[in-house]
């Protein structure tokens, strides 16, 4: 290369600079690093003075190394510049070639413009050639095209005559002719083929109608059903060159099968009206298995295997029935009978061996994996409806039973008796039968419905017992006020006690298996309350007769004669003459409460302070009279049938000891003994008894009363009942002594 050219190609450097300017930052950084490294090396070499003698050697070595590097750099730069020169020369050659190609393309463009003008002159000739070709094809197809209208009419006649295969063959021939004409005429549609669309639709509707009546045709004309299915299957495999939407007759046939089946069994006119649900379900119980059997025996052989006719039949019937029931439940609220029937049918009959669970049906008819016939919301709705309707009926029945029983209380005759002589009424049996039958019948449906009805039955039984209790209170109030005097008032109370006993002894029949035992606790509590109420009403009637007699006790007459207590025992015996007509254990409860009420009335009279003994003789007489009275009361109630362990009269013997004590200083021991036997005795009771003695000083009284607090605590005894706590001392009226505690 020319040295002058080389100098021109070299970059100019500023004077006094040995490196490129800012255009070469990498070179500048490299130079700085080199200078730093050289300084570091020189400071390390010449650190000691004795090494300065070798400075000349180092300088000459570095000069040689620098010259060598400069020579190598010059050689590299020269090679680089030679490569650049070669590249510039090649670019010049390429530019000349591109310019030559541009000139050639311009010449070709001019030639093409000339040819386009020539083609435009030939365009009319080309159109004439195309028309000539179409006319030639049309002239060849003209005889066949003239027969198209008659063929369309003939095909429609075949469709009307249910000759579907022949009609389909005719339709396919016409469509093939249409395709040939369309291809020959270059996509031109002729008006002569306008009737093919309606004809194909008519054939599709005929096929759909035939398949929709598959159940009937399989029995009467299976050939027509087979023809319709074959037409649909052949059409499913057809391809066409025309721009037409595919006719999916196979899917139309499957939909027709489903719709026809639903229309036969679940059409709107077939939905049951109010009260007709049971008959409709019974008809379905017979019809659906028969329909599946027909599908398996007659329809399935007429259809391809991939139709899965039995499975389609089972699922269609299930889906149609499910939608029908949903629609039915959205209508007016069902009655109790219809709700129960639908629940039992859907949960047990439908999937049972009589219907979809029949062993005669194949596995394809299994609907157990489908959605349940009734949703959980439907079941909840039906159960709530059933319980609500049954509750209303039960309330009405129980009210009628109670009204009938209350109407009997005002009769002139005594209550009816059973063969054993006990007072008897069908009311308890009717009440329990009504409730028990409703609970028992729900076990045929589900445990949840049984639990609901069981809870409802117990609730209504509790309400009935409260109403019965209220009716007894009104009955007693009207009788005692004289508003409605009943000749056999006590007898009907005793009969009511027998009703309570009958209900209490038989209420366990309302306890179905699997229900917790504590469910009957509220009802049992209501029965106990009813028993206490009846006992109280009976005792109120007894005390009304005894209160005038106890008003003169104790008295001087009482000390000298047993006539007073004889009258009490006589009236009590007369009052209790019909107690034997009460069944056990209520009989024992009533006698025990009667004996207790008489003893309480005796104690109330004794605590009134009507008598104060004047000396030891009167105290002895009073003690003797109390012993005789206790014996007389004991004999009376033993004769009436009261068990001796339930007697309260022995309390009089204990009080007798307190009166018969000759040494008043020993009263503290007797009082402590009295408290051991009767922990509820109070200072007021003891003080009233000491007043009856008439010989107790203030100091002796204080000593005796202090023994109540200072003496040993009474030992608890199981079954011990309150006695003195029910005897106020003093009391303004003997009627306040009526027992108001537990009767059991």
């Amino acid at each position: 290369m020319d040295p002058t050219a080389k100098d021109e190609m070299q970059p100019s450097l500023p004077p006094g600079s040995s490196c490129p300017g800012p255009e070469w930052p990498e070179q500048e950084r490299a130079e700085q690093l080199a200078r730093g490294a050289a300084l570091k090396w020189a400071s390390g070499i010449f650190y000691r003075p004795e090494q300065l003698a070798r400075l000349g050697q180092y300088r000459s070595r570095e000069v040689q190394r620098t010259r060598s590097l400069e020579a190598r750099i010059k050689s590299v730069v020269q090679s680089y510049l030679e490569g650049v020169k070669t590249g510039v020369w090649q670019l010049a050659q390429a530019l000349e070639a591109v310019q030559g190609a541009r000139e050639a393309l311009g010449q070709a463009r001019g030639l093409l413009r000339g040819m386009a003008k020539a083609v435009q002159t030939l365009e009319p000739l080309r159109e004439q050639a195309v028309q000539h070709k179409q006319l030639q094809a049309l002239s060849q197809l003209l005889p066949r095209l003239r027969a198209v209208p008659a063929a369309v009419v003939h095909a429609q006649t075949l469709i009307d005559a249910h000759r579907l295969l022949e009609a389909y063959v005719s339709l396919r021939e016409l469509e093939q002719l249409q395709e040939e004409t369309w291809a020959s005429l270059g996509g031109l549609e002729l008006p002569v083929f306008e009737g093919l669309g309606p004809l194909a639709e008519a054939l599709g509707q005929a096929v759909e109608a035939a398949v929709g009546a598959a159940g009937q045709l399989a029995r009467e004309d299976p050939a027509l059903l087979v023809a319709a299915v074959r037409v649909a299957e052949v059409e499913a495999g057809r391809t066409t060159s025309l721009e037409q939407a595919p006719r999916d007759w196979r899917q139309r046939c499957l939909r027709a099968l489903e719709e026809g089946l639903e229309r036969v069994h679940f059409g709107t006119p077939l939905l049951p009206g109010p009260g007709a649900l049971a008959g409709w379900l019974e008809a379905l119980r017979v019809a659906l298995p028969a329909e599946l059997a027909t599908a398996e025996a007659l329809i399935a052989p007429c259809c391809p295997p991939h139709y899965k006719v039995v499975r389609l039949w089972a699922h269609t019937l299930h889906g149609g029935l499910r939608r029908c029931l949903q629609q039915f439940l959205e209508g007016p609220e069902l009655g109790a009978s219809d709700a129960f029937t639908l629940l039992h049918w859907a949960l047990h009959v439908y999937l049972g061996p009589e219907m979809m669970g029949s062993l005669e049906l194949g596995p394809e008819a299994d609907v157990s994996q489908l959605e349940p016939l009734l949703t959980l919301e439907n079941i909840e709705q039906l159960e709530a409806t059933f319980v609500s309707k049954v509750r209303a009926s039960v309330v009405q029945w129980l009210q009628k039973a109670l009204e009938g029983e209350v109407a009997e209380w005002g009769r002139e005759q005594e209550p009816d008796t059973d063969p054993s002589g006990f007072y008897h009424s069908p009311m308890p049996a009717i009440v329990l039968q009504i409730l028990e039958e409703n609970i028992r019948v729900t076990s045929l449906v589900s445990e949840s419905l049984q639990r609901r009805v069981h809870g409802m039955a117990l609730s209504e039984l509790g309400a009935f017992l409260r109403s019965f209790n209220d009716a007894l209170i009104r009955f007693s109030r009207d009788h005692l006020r004289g508003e409605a005097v009943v000749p056999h008032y006590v007898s009907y109370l005793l009969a009511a006690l027998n009703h309570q006993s009958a209900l209490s002894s038989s209420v366990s029949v309302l306890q179905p298996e699997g229900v917790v035992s504590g469910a009957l606790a509220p009802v049992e509590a209501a029965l106990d309350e009813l028993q206490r109420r009846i006992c109280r009403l009976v005792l109120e009637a007894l005390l009304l007769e005894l209160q005038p007699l106890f008003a003169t006790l104790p008295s001087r007459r009482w000390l000298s004669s047993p006539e007073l207590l004889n009258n009490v025992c006589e009236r009590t015996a007369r009052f209790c003459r019909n107690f034997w007509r009460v069944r056990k254990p209520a009989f024992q409860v009533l006698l025990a409460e009667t004996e207790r009420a008489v003893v309480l009335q005796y104690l109330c009279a004794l605590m009134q302070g009507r008598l104060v003994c004047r000396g030891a003789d009167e105290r002895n007489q009073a003690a003797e009279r109390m012993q005789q009275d206790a014996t007389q009361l004991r004999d009376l109630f033993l004769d009436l049938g009261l068990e001796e362990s339930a007697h309260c009269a022995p309390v009089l013997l204990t009080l007798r000891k307190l009166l018969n004590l000759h040494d008043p200083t020993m009263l503290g021991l007797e009082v402590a003994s009295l408290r051991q036997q009767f922990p509820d005795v109070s200072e007021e009771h003891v003080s009233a008894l000491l007043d009856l003695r008439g010989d107790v000083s203030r100091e002796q009284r204080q000593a005796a009363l202090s023994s109540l607090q200072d003496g040993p605590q009474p030992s608890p005894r199981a079954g011990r009942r309150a006695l003195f706590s029910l005897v106020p001392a003093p009391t303004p009226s003997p009627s306040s002594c009526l027992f108001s505690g537990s009767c059991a």
Side-chain angles (χ1 to χ4, degrees):
M1 180 180 292
D2 187 19
T4 306
K6 289 183 180 180
D7 294 339
E8 291 178 356
M9 294 179 65
Q10 290 179 352
S12 61
L13 297 175
S17 175
S18 60
C19 63
E23 292 82 1
W24 302 91
E26 293 82 1
Q27 182 178 354
E28 181 179 0
R29 179 172 177 77
E31 185 176 353
Q32 291 176 355
L33 293 175
R35 289 179 179 275
L39 289 174
K40 185 177 180 180
W41 173 80
S43 63
I45 291 296
F46 301 110
Y47 180 72
R48 288 178 293 179
E50 59 271 13
Q51 292 181 342
L52 293 176
R54 303 173 62 185
L55 180 60
Q57 298 177 4
Y58 288 124
R59 181 180 294 142
S60 60
R61 186 189 303 168
E62 290 301 320
V63 168
Q64 293 177 2
R65 184 182 298 174
T66 300
R67 290 176 180 174
S68 175
L69 289 174
E70 289 177 353
R72 291 171 62 186
I73 290 173
K74 289 180 180 180
S75 175
V76 170
V77 170
Q78 185 176 1
S79 299
Y80 171 75
L81 292 175
E82 290 177 356
V84 169
K85 181 179 179 181
T86 303
V88 170
W89 179 81
Q90 290 177 350
L91 288 175
Q93 295 295 323
L95 178 61
E96 293 177 359
V98 168
Q99 290 176 351
R102 180 182 297 176
E103 293 176 357
L105 288 174
Q107 295 175 1
R109 184 180 296 109
L111 293 175
L112 287 175
R113 288 176 181 174
M115 293 178 65
K117 294 179 180 179
V119 169
Q120 289 178 357
T121 59
L122 295 176
E123 187 65 26
L125 182 61
R126 181 183 298 169
E127 293 178 357
Q128 292 293 329
V130 171
Q131 292 178 0
H132 181 270
K133 185 177 180 181
Q134 291 177 350
L135 289 174
Q136 183 180 8
L138 189 61
S139 63
Q140 295 176 355
L141 296 173
L142 188 60
R144 297 170 62 187
L145 293 175
R146 289 177 178 175
V148 168
V152 170
V153 173
H154 177 66
Q156 184 64 50
T157 303
L158 294 176
I159 294 174
D160 296 338
H162 301 297
R163 297 163 62 181
L164 302 183
L165 283 175
E166 298 178 34
Y168 183 70
V169 171
S170 178
L171 175 64
R172 288 296 298 125
E173 291 175 351
L174 291 173
E175 289 180 340
Q176 289 176 358
L177 176 60
Q178 183 184 19
E179 292 177 5
E180 292 178 10
T181 304
W182 183 83
S184 300
L185 299 182
L188 181 64
E189 293 284 350
L190 297 180
V192 72
F193 294 109
E194 291 179 353
L196 293 188
L199 179 65
E201 181 61 25
L203 179 58
Q205 292 177 357
V207 169
E208 188 175 356
V211 174
Q216 179 181 357
L217 291 180
R219 299 182 184 91
E220 300 174 358
D221 190 3
L224 177 58
L225 176 60
V226 172
V229 174
R230 287 186 62 188
V231 168
E233 287 300 303
V234 173
E235 178 63 22
R238 181 181 69 89
T239 58
T240 178
S241 59
L242 298 178
E243 298 178 356
Q244 296 178 349
R247 296 191 292 259
D248 199 354
W249 286 0
R250 176 188 292 173
Q251 292 301 321
R252 291 179 63 177
C253 285
L254 293 176
R255 286 196 300 269
L257 285 173
E258 297 176 358
E259 293 172 358
L261 191 58
E262 290 187 7
R263 185 169 56 252
V264 169
H265 295 285
F266 310 116
T268 303
L270 300 176
L271 291 178
L277 179 62
W280 183 67
L281 293 177
E282 177 61 22
L284 288 179
R285 185 190 67 80
V286 177
L288 297 189
E291 191 70 52
L292 288 173
T294 300
E296 186 173 8
L298 300 178
I299 301 176
C302 298
C303 301
H306 62 266
Y307 273 42
K308 299 181 179 179
V309 171
V310 178
R311 182 178 181 274
L312 176 66
W313 237 242
H315 289 198
T316 302
L317 290 174
H318 180 81
L321 178 58
R322 191 172 187 272
R323 287 189 295 274
C324 184
L325 292 181
Q326 295 293 331
Q327 179 182 355
F328 187 70
L329 291 176
E330 292 173 358
E333 188 177 32
L334 301 181
S337 177
D338 286 346
F340 177 84
T341 301
L342 181 54
L343 279 171
H344 180 261
W345 192 89
L347 298 179
H348 298 281
V349 177
Y350 179 68
L351 295 177
E354 298 180 357
M355 290 192 66
M356 310 309 279
S358 175
L359 297 177
E360 298 178 359
L361 299 177
E364 293 183 352
D366 183 22
V367 297
S368 60
Q369 303 301 321
L370 298 179
E371 291 181 316
L373 200 59
L374 295 177
T375 64
L376 295 178
E377 291 78 8
N378 296 148
I379 295 175
E380 174 72 20
Q381 175 188 351
L382 288 173
E383 288 185 355
T385 299
F386 177 77
V387 173
S388 174
K389 299 295 184 181
V390 170
R391 182 190 295 275
S393 299
V394 166
V395 169
Q396 185 178 3
W397 294 335
L398 294 182
Q399 183 63 29
K400 288 183 178 180
L402 180 59
E403 291 174 355
E405 181 65 23
V406 172
E408 295 287 323
W409 294 347
R411 295 194 310 169
E412 296 291 335
Q413 299 84 13
E414 287 192 356
D416 297 332
T417 59
D418 61 10
S420 300
F422 298 110
Y423 288 139
H424 173 73
S425 171
M427 185 196 69
I430 292 174
V431 170
L432 291 176
Q433 182 180 3
I434 290 172
L435 300 177
E436 191 271 335
E437 285 182 355
N438 281 288
I439 295 174
R440 177 177 49 81
V441 75
T442 54
S443 64
L444 302 175
V445 177
S446 65
E447 292 184 3
S448 63
L449 181 60
Q450 188 179 35
R451 286 194 299 270
R452 283 172 174 258
V453 175
H454 178 255
M456 179 275 298
L458 295 184
S459 174
E460 293 306 321
L461 179 56
F464 170 79
L465 293 175
R466 289 190 293 272
S467 300
F468 190 41
N469 198 344
D470 295 341
L472 286 172
I473 293 174
R474 291 192 299 270
F475 173 61
S476 175
R477 181 189 60 202
D478 295 343
H479 173 72
L480 296 179
R481 291 179 178 178
E483 298 176 3
V485 179
V486 181
H488 302 283
Y489 170 71
V490 175
S491 297
Y492 279 102
L493 289 179
L494 299 180
L497 194 57
N498 271 348
H499 302 342
Q500 184 274 340
S501 299
L503 290 172
S504 182
S505 62
S506 303
V507 73
S508 59
V509 301
L510 303 181
Q511 183 80 357
E513 296 182 1
V515 179
V516 293
S517 57
L520 293 178
V523 174
E524 292 171 347
L527 287 169
D528 293 342
E529 176 61 27
L530 179 61
Q531 185 186 62
R532 288 192 293 270
R533 173 63 61 185
I534 297 172
C535 289
R536 181 177 177 83
L537 295 178
V538 172
L539 297 181
E540 284 179 351
L542 172 62
L543 294 180
L544 283 177
E545 298 186 17
L546 296 183
Q547 281 175 1
L549 299 178
F550 280 109
T552 59
L553 187 151
S555 63
R556 307 293 173 188
R557 179 186 171 193
W558 168 70
L559 289 176
S560 60
S561 173
E563 180 182 357
L564 180 58
L565 199 67
N566 288 340
N567 292 336
V568 171
C569 292
E570 181 181 349
R571 290 198 184 186
T572 303
R574 186 171 61 251
F575 186 88
C576 300
R577 67 181 181 274
N578 287 333
F579 280 16
W580 68 274
R581 296 186 182 277
V582 178
R583 291 183 177 274
K584 293 182 179 180
F587 170 71
Q588 285 293 326
V589 172
L590 182 59
L591 273 182
E593 294 302 323
T594 302
E595 190 261 355
R596 191 159 178 258
V598 172
V599 172
L600 284 172
Q601 194 71 16
Y602 190 102
L603 293 176
C604 284
L606 202 62
M607 300 293 173
Q608 296 305 310
R610 299 191 186 103
L611 176 66
V612 177
C613 295
R614 299 172 181 172
D617 292 339
E618 286 191 358
R619 284 193 294 276
N620 291 336
Q621 286 180 354
E624 186 65 24
R625 176 56 54 204
M626 292 179 68
Q627 181 176 6
Q628 292 177 5
D629 291 348
T631 303
Q632 194 170 356
L633 290 174
R634 171 180 173 275
D635 294 340
L636 168 64
F637 284 98
L638 284 176
D639 292 341
L640 290 175
L642 179 62
E643 297 175 356
E644 189 169 3
S645 60
H647 284 214
C648 293
V651 68
L652 303 181
L653 299 178
T654 304
L655 299 182
R656 169 191 171 278
K657 296 178 181 180
L658 192 62
L659 290 176
N660 199 32
L661 186 64
H662 296 288
D663 186 1
T665 59
M666 303 297 293
L667 286 173
L669 294 177
E670 289 299 333
V671 171
S673 176
L674 176 64
R675 185 170 184 268
Q676 286 294 323
Q677 297 181 53
F678 303 98
D680 59 339
V681 67
S682 67
E683 292 183 1
E684 289 79 6
H685 298 130
V686 174
S687 183
L689 292 173
L690 296 180
D691 290 340
L692 181 60
R693 281 182 59 91
D695 64 339
V696 181
S697 64
R698 178 176 298 180
E699 293 77 10
Q700 291 170 346
R701 180 188 299 271
Q702 292 297 332
L705 294 178
S706 63
S707 64
L708 286 176
Q709 302 297 333
D710 300 337
Q713 293 297 320
S715 59
R717 283 192 300 177
R720 174 180 286 169
R721 301 173 60 191
L723 191 62
F724 280 95
S725 60
L726 303 176
V727 181
T731 180
S733 173
S735 61
S736 65
C737 300
L738 179 61
F739 167 57
S740 60
S742 173
C743 206

